[in-house]
Amino acid sequence: MSEQWKLICKVKDVPLSGARLVPRGLAWQELPGVALFRTDEESVFAVLETVDVEPRASGARKYSVKVEDCKVYLDLEELSEPASRAEAALAGSFGVATRLAFG
């Protein structure tokens, strides 16, 4: 795992019931995002956006998360990697650019 941690949001911005979606890819690529889930006051996990009802128990791809000083970070290198062969083909020579626009 790289040390390229990208600040995503504050822990309090991830709802206890629900998820916060982190977009991936260029606008025209229409790639699934990464869903952040909070299990308690300071525990956050991240999985590839999925239609499964229970993402923690699904086979969805998991992403590294770091929580530090009440802030949530994701590994930028992991976010930029294609999640499947189909996604790699779609990304082509552009790769999977991660657009992170947070207010």
Side-chain angles (χ1 to χ4, degrees):
M1 179 173 54
S2 78
E3 291 300 321
Q4 293 182 304
W5 294 103
K6 178 68 178 175
L7 174 63
I8 303 299
C9 62
K10 295 178 181 177
V11 171
K12 69 178 184 176
D13 296 332
V14 181
L16 278 169
S17 59
R20 180 180 177 118
L21 188 63
V22 178
R24 296 173 55 246
L26 300 171
W28 57 268
Q29 290 176 320
E30 297 182 18
L31 301 176
V34 173
L36 297 178
F37 296 91
R38 184 163 58 129
T39 55
D40 60 36
E41 289 304 314
E42 293 187 21
S43 297
V44 177
F45 72 96
V47 297
L48 189 66
E49 182 182 14
T50 178
V51 295
D52 290 340
V53 175
E54 185 60 53
R56 284 181 280 187
S58 75
R61 178 179 175 169
K62 293 173 177 54
Y63 291 85
S64 299
V65 177
K66 178 170 79 169
V67 176
E68 190 173 271
D69 297 326
C70 298
K71 295 177 184 164
V72 178
Y73 297 84
L74 293 177
D75 184 314
L76 188 56
E77 189 173 294
E78 284 185 3
L79 286 174
S80 300
E81 293 174 1
S84 67
R85 288 186 184 143
E87 191 173 283
L90 179 62
S93 61
F94 294 99
V96 178
T98 303
R99 61 183 191 275
L100 299 174
F102 304 103

